[in-house]
Amino acid sequence: MLDQLKGLRTQALSELSEVDSLRGLELWRVRHLGKKSALIQILRSLATLPAEERRRAGAQANEVKTALESGLSEKERQLQEALLASPLKSRQLDVTLPGRPYPIGGLHPITQTINEICEIFGNMGFQTIEGPEVELEYYNFEALNIPPHHPAREMFATLWVETGGGEETTLLRTHTSPMQIRLMERERPPIRVIVPGRAYRYEATDATHESIFFQVEGLAVDTNITMADLKGTLLEFCRCLFGDERKVRFRCDYFPFVEPGAEMAIECLACAGAGCRLCGHSGWIEILGAGMVHPDVLARVGIDPDIYSGFAFGMGVERLPMLRYGVDDIRLFYNNDLRFLRQF
Ligand code: DAH
């Protein structure tokens, strides 16, 4: 039996040195220290031996068991360690390498322009608000003094929105002006707001027209607001956006919801006023419509035109970065060509 134990020990330890996985180790444990292993069988059978033999064989068997057990735990430690180390080794990291550049998105040039406009007017005390793009015909037209057969409807090629019968007629707003009415219905003067947002027109696109475009509307209503306030505010705006040098022209124009109405143009940036294709050889580029809020518009929202007066203006947004950066086609802003957009 002593020889058998010696043999068991040599055999088991040599097999152990071959084990290279935790799973292999478990199999080894079952084979050599499990209930059915030869060693455990021997330990069980000791009781049947005569006393002298039992003592010697018992001591020997226990010694073998201890050797196997400590071999087992040593092997287990080694395997655990190797397991931890291997992914570290295979994914070794050179911390001195420069980081991988991660592309950071930027704001769209139109968004940048709108933010800039809002900031300039914000500094003059105007709050920024937004309004719905699907609008009631009433706010887009009637409330702005444009009844159904008014010729001014011609200016606004309208995209109508189909609604179930009986409801009020809806459309995609053709300008941001309807928000003037929505705001004045719920707020009392003093009012100073600007309204950036999309507008829609049923028109063919070309280098200077898009059927979806952006406008920024402005409105100020208070006691004693005059044309001089309108002019001063808009001049300051142009100075901030285009610099002190740029010439500005302010002329009469007609819009049904203002009286008097005006338009503002700046000296063409491309030809410095000499006349070119961009400005239609006039030397001037129109950037906005404006005027004193029509007394009927004020009365319609319950603001007494004998006490209050106001000015309003509305500008197209795309034209501003086009002028500034010499972009000669409005469609470039909406084609999502990153080579174009990344320049801003
Ligand atoms: N809504 C006009 C348009 O889209 C622009 C405009 C003109 C807005 C005069 C105004 C204004 O507020 O007073 O053509």
Side-chain angles (χ1 to χ4, degrees), residues 268-286:
C268 180
L269 278 82
C271 62
C276 67
R277 203 176 60 86
L278 189 67
C279 56
H281 303 282
S282 70
W284 295 97
I285 292 185
E286 226 181 274

Side-chain angles (χ1 to χ4, degrees), residues 155-156 174-175 177 180 201 215 217-218 255 257-258 289-291 312-314:
M155 284 161 56
F156 302 108
T174 59
H175 50 176
S177 306
Q180 289 186 27
R201 299 220 183 140
Q215 288 192 334
E217 192 78 13
F255 300 95
F257 38 95
V258 284
F313 56 86

Side-chain angles (χ1 to χ4, degrees), residues 104-144:
I104 305 172
L107 292 179
H108 191 278
I110 297 301
T111 308
Q112 288 181 33
T113 309
I114 289 174
N115 289 349
E116 207 176 328
I117 295 170
C118 292
E119 194 181 323
I120 294 172
F121 283 106
N123 289 339
M124 293 192 267
F126 286 74
Q127 254 185 315
T128 300
I129 59 163
E130 286 182 90
E133 291 176 21
V134 176
E135 185 54 281
L136 294 178
E137 182 182 15
Y138 173 77
Y139 289 109
N140 197 84
F141 290 128
E142 272 93 333
L144 291 164

